[in-house]
Amino acid sequence: MSSLPRRVKSEAKALTSEELPSFLNSSSESEEEEEEWEPKSKVAKRPCLPKKNEAKTKKTAVPRPAGAKKMVKKVAIKEEMDVSLPIAPVEDKRMQLLKPKEEDVGTKPKSLNQKPEVPKKMEINSFQGKNKKSLGSDEKPSTSVPAVGNQVKHEKCEEAFAFDEPPSKKIKLNACPEGKPVKNLGGNKIKEEFEMNWDIVQALSEITNVEPWVCANLINLFQEENTIPFIARYRKELINNLEADALREVQQTLEELRTVAKKTHTTIQKLKKEGKLSGCLLKALLNCRTLEELDHVSAPYKTGSKGTKAQRAKQLGLEPAALSLLQNPVELNLFSYIRPNTKGLANIREVETGVQHILADIFAKDKDTLDFIRKLCQQRYISIQSTLAKVSSKSGNEKDINKFQLYHEFSCNIKNIQHHQILAINRGENLKILTVKVNIPDGVKNEFCWWCVNERWRPKQFLKPEFMRILRSSVEDAYKRLIHPLLCREFRSKLTSDAEKESVMMFGRNLRQLLLTSPVRGRTLMGVDPGYKHGCKLAIISPTSQILHTDVVYLHSGQGFREAEKIKKLLLQYSCSTVVIGNGTACRETEAYFADLIMKKYFAPLDVVYCIVSEAGASIYSVSPEASKEMPDLDPNLRSAVSIARRVQDPLAELVKIEPKHIGVGMYQ
């Protein structure tokens, strides 16, 4: 029985002699071989394991089976190794070879009443001693805990940090480490300052074609005053990786919807104060999504307005008759409303007309009716048509009229018309040169009227023929007098808004492309501002944009050969092999002049090349205060030649001196 522990003891000691410092090896190998192995000599050095308890445990006479004795000794070996060896990562790997199995460690003699609980092993990082971590239950158990009686005490770790609640930043990284979408941040229901009958998240999603959960997240982010660059770079998972341009569009649409809601509530308060607010009007106002709809609904109630035909009919007391025609037509008697001495109620025809006006007003402000007609128009061919105005054709400036010659007889589908065409038509209409109208086919009217009479506004009871005639007339009147003008205004407004947005975007794209043109560095350049009468202005600049020489040559007045000598002398003197020609007046003639000289190798030994650059804004810059400060001693004509040369050498540095509207890269309509 004693041979097994002695062999294991020698193996463990051989390992410690190589790895541990000398002061930890307190006993020699000779002493260990002479005396029989007893754990108390080692246990005595540990203050947490008193001798008395150990001795009592040994002297207790309890009958044990033979197999249990081996297991207990293995536990003692494990205890000794844990005491003699410090806890370090290098030792742990090797000690795993000598540690007994968990099953053996956890086994106690059958005669004991209580089984010991195996405590969790505590590891201390040698580099960061102050941080403590409690390992999981799957770690190998340690028996280096004092045993009192038949029980094993647990070591309790005093945690210095709260590991149960990781920092919020870590949660975000774990939830979406690769920028994956995070839906429903705070829910899709957003509480706005001004409540409407429509949900702002759903409306924003329909207008911008962005997912509702993304719109909800964006509204929350904008409310927290996050900027678009911050959202686009650091909140990609919340916005489904939208581009910055799409974020700006969503932000602008959100502001427009909030403007409509704010103006709607202002109008409601105003009408309520004036005593003009009714239940139907309140519902119609809260259904408005655009400023055009709001103006359409609130226009009849503005101060100073004469009132609509429906309002005048309601003042005569015909509103109950109109509602009864839709809900309870059997009991309706229009003859009872006749008042011979009252205008508008003198006969049955005037009464029917008043009822018709009230019904038309109800139809034109109903949300379902307007949604149906809009959906119907999307499926049909709607065109915009422009013609020459009769007044301008008789008394107008022919020069202005000829500018719009393309639009004197113009017609195009609103889905295919170009943005610059819309801007041109609007400008011609503002100048009263063109007459513009939107053509909606008659098929839309016929289908709309049939749907209103037979489905949407179908009476709940049998309708007499004369009442059915009033209903049909009311639907046609609502379409012709109220709904058709509303649709035309909406189409025109939508086309104009889209055209203006596209013109700004096009200007930005063209300007960005122009400013980011690759520069021509390390060359001496000759800038040429061509001209006929006042000659071609020359300016030679160094590779660092310093002005070396300026001059004027007259290439197109019969002195071309003599001026060629001067140009050759200047090019050779400053070792200039690149000529930059502005694209203004006499550009083609100047280009042909230099091309002819280059082809004849007139500037040999220099290998001269030329290029043409836009000179838009050069004339404006040459007389600006910035140019006067930069080149105070130069003539404005020569300043333009310097600017032309610098536009090739460093386009960005030169073009930022000029106002963007003078660079000539936009949709100028």
Side-chain angles (χ1 to χ4, degrees):
M1 294 296 291
S2 62
S3 61
L4 178 60
R6 187 170 292 149
R7 180 175 57 82
V8 177
K9 179 71 179 181
S10 63
E11 291 179 4
K13 198 64 189 176
L15 178 63
T16 58
S17 63
E18 296 176 1
E19 301 294 338
L20 298 180
S22 59
F23 65 84
L24 292 176
N25 297 328
S26 58
S27 60
S28 61
E29 294 181 4
S30 60
E31 293 176 354
E32 293 171 357
E33 292 178 357
E34 289 177 0
E35 62 183 5
E36 187 176 359
W37 178 85
E38 289 293 337
K40 73 177 183 176
S41 61
K42 292 291 182 180
V43 173
K45 293 183 179 182
R46 292 192 306 163
C48 58
L49 290 176
K51 291 181 180 180
K52 295 180 179 181
N53 294 342
E54 185 67 25
K56 288 180 180 180
T57 306
K58 282 180 142 189
K59 291 179 181 179
T60 303
V62 181
R64 300 176 182 176
K69 188 174 183 180
K70 292 183 180 180
M71 296 177 187
V72 172
K73 287 191 175 183
K74 287 184 182 180
V75 174
I77 294 169
K78 175 68 174 58
E79 287 184 5
E80 181 179 355
M81 286 188 292
D82 280 347
V83 171
S84 60
L85 296 179
I87 299 174
V90 178
E91 297 298 332
D92 290 343
K93 294 180 181 178
R94 298 187 180 183
M95 290 299 296
Q96 288 176 359
L97 301 174
L98 299 177
K99 286 181 181 179
K101 297 180 181 179
E102 292 181 8
E103 298 175 358
D104 296 339
V105 173
T107 307
K108 291 293 284 183
K110 295 180 181 179
S111 61
L112 297 177
N113 296 329
Q114 188 174 0
K115 294 183 179 180
E117 296 180 3
V118 182
K120 298 179 181 178
K121 185 176 180 181
M122 302 301 298
E123 279 189 309
I124 301 176
N125 193 339
S126 59
F127 297 102
Q128 299 177 353
K130 60 182 180 180
N131 296 335
K132 295 182 179 182
K133 294 182 179 179
S134 59
L135 300 179
S137 59
D138 58 342
E139 295 287 344
K140 294 190 176 182
S142 171
T143 56
S144 60
V145 185
V148 181
N150 295 334
Q151 294 182 354
V152 180
K153 291 183 178 181
H154 288 278
E155 281 191 17
K156 294 185 179 181
C157 172
E158 295 181 0
E159 297 182 353
F161 302 98
F163 293 100
D164 295 335
E165 299 179 359
S168 59
K169 193 171 184 180
K170 191 171 183 181
I171 291 175
K172 292 178 181 177
L173 293 175
N174 291 340
C176 44
E178 300 177 357
K180 295 180 180 179
V182 176
K183 298 185 178 182
N184 299 331
L185 180 65
N188 282 0
K189 187 66 177 177
I190 305 296
K191 187 175 181 180
E192 287 291 313
E193 182 181 359
F194 301 103
E195 294 293 334
M196 303 289 287
N197 284 351
W198 39 266
D199 182 24
I200 192 168
V201 174
Q202 195 64 30
L204 192 62
S205 175
E206 292 174 1
I207 296 173
T208 59
N209 294 324
V210 177
E211 293 87 344
W213 65 271
V214 176
C215 294
N217 291 347
L218 279 173
I219 292 174
N220 288 325
L221 291 171
F222 288 141
Q223 285 178 347
E224 296 170 1
E225 298 182 357
N226 293 306
T227 61
I228 288 180
F230 176 82
I231 296 172
R233 295 186 63 182
Y234 304 115
R235 295 294 180 267
K236 290 184 177 181
E237 69 278 1
L238 300 181
I239 62 173
N240 201 17
N241 298 315
L242 283 182
E243 297 293 334
D245 293 337
L247 293 180
R248 292 188 187 94
E249 183 182 354
V250 172
Q251 187 182 36
Q252 184 177 358
T253 307
L254 178 62
E255 291 176 357
E256 292 175 357
L257 289 174
R258 285 176 173 166
T259 302
V260 172
K262 184 177 180 180
K263 190 173 180 180
T264 299
H265 281 265
T266 303
T267 305
I268 290 173
Q269 294 298 327
K270 184 179 179 181
L271 294 176
K272 189 175 182 181
K273 190 177 294 185
E274 295 175 356
K276 300 179 181 179
L277 188 64
S278 62
C280 297
L281 178 59
L282 177 62
K283 184 178 179 181
L285 288 171
L286 294 176
N287 286 333
C288 296
R289 292 195 183 187
T290 62
L291 293 176
E292 289 77 15
E293 291 184 37
L294 181 61
D295 293 338
H296 168 70
V297 175
S298 62
Y301 302 93
K302 291 181 179 179
T303 305
S305 175
K306 296 180 181 179
T308 62
K309 295 180 179 180
Q311 282 181 313
R312 294 195 290 269
K314 289 178 181 178
Q315 292 174 358
L316 294 174
L318 294 176
E319 186 174 8
L323 297 177
S324 178
L325 188 143
L326 295 175
Q327 299 173 0
N328 192 14
V330 177
E331 300 178 359
L332 178 61
N333 183 13
L334 293 180
F335 290 96
S336 62
Y337 291 91
I338 297 177
R339 303 288 185 272
N341 299 327
T342 305
K343 185 179 180 181
L345 301 176
N347 50 50
I348 188 62
R349 181 174 296 180
E350 292 183 359
V351 172
E352 291 178 354
T353 304
V355 172
Q356 175 181 317
H357 291 161
I358 294 174
L359 291 176
D361 183 70
I362 294 174
F363 300 160
K365 292 178 180 178
D366 181 66
K367 183 178 180 298
D368 295 337
T369 305
L370 293 177
D371 290 343
F372 177 80
I373 190 65
R374 291 190 185 104
K375 186 177 179 181
L376 198 60
C377 289
Q378 291 178 357
Q379 304 170 357
R380 300 301 180 93
Y381 182 89
I382 311 297
S383 64
I384 184 170
Q385 182 179 357
S386 66
T387 56
L388 182 64
K390 296 180 180 179
V391 179
S392 62
S393 60
K394 294 180 180 179
S395 59
N397 190 352
E398 293 184 2
K399 186 177 180 181
D400 292 338
I401 294 175
N402 292 333
K403 287 182 181 179
F404 299 95
Q405 188 174 2
L406 291 174
Y407 304 102
H408 289 177
E409 294 293 336
F410 177 81
S411 180
C412 183
N413 187 1
I414 60 173
K415 296 180 180 179
N416 302 329
I417 192 168
Q418 301 298 316
H419 297 293
H420 69 272
Q421 293 174 332
I422 288 293
L423 295 178
I425 289 174
N426 291 346
R427 191 156 56 94
E429 187 180 28
N430 293 335
L431 295 174
K432 298 182 179 180
I433 297 175
L434 300 177
T435 301
V436 186
K437 66 177 181 178
V438 177
N439 291 327
I440 300 177
D442 294 337
V444 174
K445 175 186 174 182
N446 297 334
E447 186 171 350
F448 170 75
C449 293
W450 182 91
W451 177 81
C452 286
V453 173
N454 294 280
E455 294 187 14
R456 178 67 181 91
W457 301 104
R458 185 174 182 175
K460 297 181 180 180
Q461 299 177 1
F462 174 74
L463 209 62
K464 297 179 181 178
E466 57 270 18
F467 291 164
M468 183 61 73
R469 177 176 52 81
I470 295 175
L471 181 61
R472 291 197 181 102
S473 301
S474 302
V475 172
E476 292 181 2
D477 182 50
Y479 177 83
K480 181 180 179 180
R481 186 167 54 88
L482 302 173
I483 296 178
H484 184 273
L486 173 65
L487 294 175
C488 293
R489 289 195 301 270
E490 287 183 354
F491 289 138
R492 293 290 304 277
S493 176
K494 181 73 165 54
L495 291 173
T496 302
S497 175
D498 293 346
E500 290 175 351
K501 290 179 182 178
E502 177 61 25
S503 65
V504 174
M505 294 176 63
M506 178 178 288
F507 187 90
R509 290 194 299 266
N510 294 344
L511 182 62
R512 183 183 297 111
Q513 185 177 358
L514 184 63
L515 294 178
L516 298 181
T517 305
S518 300
V520 178
R521 297 194 179 278
R523 290 192 182 189
T524 303
L525 303 178
M526 174 186 280
V528 180
D529 186 7
Y532 290 116
K533 184 177 179 181
H534 299 287
C536 298
K537 281 69 69 177
L538 305 180
I540 298 179
I541 63 173
S542 68
T544 57
S545 296
Q546 301 297 320
I547 303 172
L548 303 177
H549 182 79
T550 58
D551 207 338
V552 180
V553 292
Y554 298 88
L555 306 180
H556 312 300
S557 59
Q559 304 177 16
F561 181 75
R562 187 178 66 183
E563 300 291 359
E565 289 291 335
K566 183 192 290 187
I567 295 173
K568 180 179 180 181
K569 183 179 179 181
L570 291 173
L571 293 177
L572 292 173
Q573 179 181 353
Y574 295 102
S575 299
C576 178
S577 60
T578 305
V579 179
V580 182
I581 304 171
N583 66 345
T585 306
C587 168
R588 295 303 177 191
E589 291 79 2
T590 307
E591 178 191 6
Y593 176 83
F594 278 96
D596 185 51
L597 294 178
I598 292 172
M599 186 177 60
K600 294 177 180 178
K601 297 184 179 180
Y602 183 77
F603 302 114
L606 292 175
D607 185 13
V608 178
V609 296
Y610 75 94
C611 66
I612 298 176
V613 67
S614 172
E615 63 176 35
S619 301
I620 296 174
Y621 166 71
S622 63
V623 295
S624 64
E626 291 80 7
S628 300
K629 293 178 182 178
E630 187 179 3
M631 298 172 280
D633 301 330
L634 280 185
D635 184 82
N637 293 326
L638 296 175
R639 292 174 188 167
S640 62
V642 175
S643 178
I644 288 171
R646 287 177 175 173
R647 290 185 183 200
V648 173
Q649 194 171 63
D650 195 346
L652 181 59
E654 186 64 25
L655 291 173
V656 293
K657 303 174 185 177
I658 306 169
E659 290 187 48
K661 64 182 180 181
H662 297 312
I663 297 180
V665 293
M667 190 189 301
Y668 291 96
Q669 293 292 340

